């Protein structure tokens, strides 16, 4: 069964949320929530999404440097430590978006991206491969993570998309393009390494 609050992704019904309340069901909120400025708002969600990516990069043993100023559509630059027989220390760049209200289909996720951000990812005129990283988070911020003595679990998932083969679009910067982010492009430790492949560099026009 799917849950609209997670964008149609099936719930893990055995998982427990705050105070043991099953995830996806309302429960009592701790006092600190009301005292936490901006809790659950867009800025909080965006920070969670970027930290989600940073955690994956750390688990993959990939260097991650956050861009201090987002002027060119890049939030993170990721660096590979390199390995024998490959380019030494290749890098990629990523724009990170986090949503709690996606439209999820069997094979893809619909995501609306403003023209300004779209055009900063589309096309081949780059020297470094760049990607969209889309993080899906539950609508309830209290379900974003669960810490026990055994593990730290974060919910829900991240996906990647490459727009090198797309044409730039015209129109207002605030107009939006609907992207179909493939669900097969689940971002994992393994697939994060795959994004450093030569194929993506070969798609670029480097003068």
């Amino acid at each position: 069964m799917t849950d609209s609050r997670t964008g149609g992704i099936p719930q893990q019904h055995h998982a427990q949320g705050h105070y043991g309340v099953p995830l996806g069901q309302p429960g009592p909120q701790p006092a600190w929530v009301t005292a936490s400025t901006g809790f659950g708002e867009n800025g909080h969600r965006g920070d969670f999404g970027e930290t989600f990516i940073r955690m994956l990069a750390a688990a993959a043993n990939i260097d991650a440097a956050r861009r201090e100023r987002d002027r060119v559509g890049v939030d993170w630059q990721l660096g590979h430590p390199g390995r024998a027989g490959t380019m030494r220390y290749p890098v990629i760049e990523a724009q990170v978006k986090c949503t709690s209200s996606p439209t999820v289909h069997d094979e893809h996720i619909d995501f609306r991206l403003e023209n300004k951000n779209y055009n900063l990812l589309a096309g081949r005129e780059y020297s470094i491969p760049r990607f969209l990283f889309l993080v899906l988070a539950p609508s309830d911020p209290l379900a974003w993570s669960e810490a026990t003595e055994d593990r730290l679990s974060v919910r829900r998932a991240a996906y990647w998309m490459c727009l090198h083969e797309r044409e730039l679009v015209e129109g207002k910067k605030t107009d939006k393009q609907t992207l179909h982010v493939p669900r097969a492009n689940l971002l994992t430790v393994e697939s994060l390494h795959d994004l450093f492949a030569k194929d993506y560099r070969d798609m670029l026009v480097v003068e």
Side-chain angles (χ1 to χ4, degrees):
M1 174 180 268
T2 60
D3 188 330
S4 61
R5 286 168 296 188
T6 62
I9 296 177
Q11 281 277 6
Q12 299 293 326
H13 290 290
H14 62 278
Q16 297 295 305
H18 191 73
Y19 296 133
V21 176
L23 295 178
Q25 295 184 14
Q29 289 192 341
W32 61 263
V33 169
T34 56
S36 180
T37 303
F39 183 82
E41 296 180 359
N42 287 340
H44 183 200
R45 183 179 296 102
D47 184 52
F48 173 79
E50 293 198 32
T51 303
F52 192 108
I53 299 302
R54 178 67 183 86
M55 181 196 66
L56 274 177
N61 194 32
I62 288 174
D63 297 333
R66 195 182 189 308
R67 296 289 290 267
E68 292 186 4
R69 299 177 66 184
D70 180 8
R71 295 189 291 177
V72 292
V74 171
D75 296 305
W76 289 92
Q77 186 173 89
L78 306 175
H80 197 288
R83 54 185 179 269
T86 67
M87 174 183 284
R88 298 180 66 188
Y89 313 121
V91 296
I92 62 174
E93 295 178 329
Q95 182 179 134
V96 180
K97 297 295 183 182
C98 185
T99 179
S100 294
S101 56
T103 302
V104 179
H105 302 275
D106 289 342
E107 296 186 356
H108 69 268
I109 301 161
D110 288 344
F111 183 71
R112 301 270 288 165
L113 186 67
E114 288 190 356
N115 283 354
K116 174 185 176 181
N117 293 315
Y118 179 93
N119 284 335
L120 289 172
L121 292 172
R124 301 170 181 267
E125 277 71 35
Y126 298 106
S127 59
I128 298 174
R130 53 178 51 193
F131 301 88
L132 171 68
F133 288 170
L134 178 62
V135 179
L136 271 56
S139 58
D140 180 3
L142 291 174
W144 289 353
S145 68
E146 180 183 6
T148 68
E149 291 183 334
D150 180 61
R151 70 186 64 188
L152 170 64
S153 301
V154 292
R155 301 178 178 87
R156 172 132 345 243
Y159 301 84
W160 64 270
M161 187 173 191
C162 175
L163 302 179
H164 291 161
E165 295 184 325
R166 301 293 186 93
E167 298 291 334
L168 275 65
V169 297
E170 298 181 354
K172 296 180 180 179
K173 292 182 178 180
T174 54
D175 289 345
K176 293 185 178 182
Q177 302 296 313
T178 299
L179 299 179
H180 302 308
V181 182
R183 291 185 66 180
N185 290 3
L186 182 68
L187 199 61
T188 66
V189 167
E190 291 77 13
S191 65
L192 188 55
H193 279 271
D194 292 341
L195 299 184
F196 290 87
K198 183 175 180 293
D199 294 349
Y200 297 106
R201 296 195 299 276
D202 289 345
M203 294 173 69
L204 303 178
V205 177
V206 181
E207 309 224 347

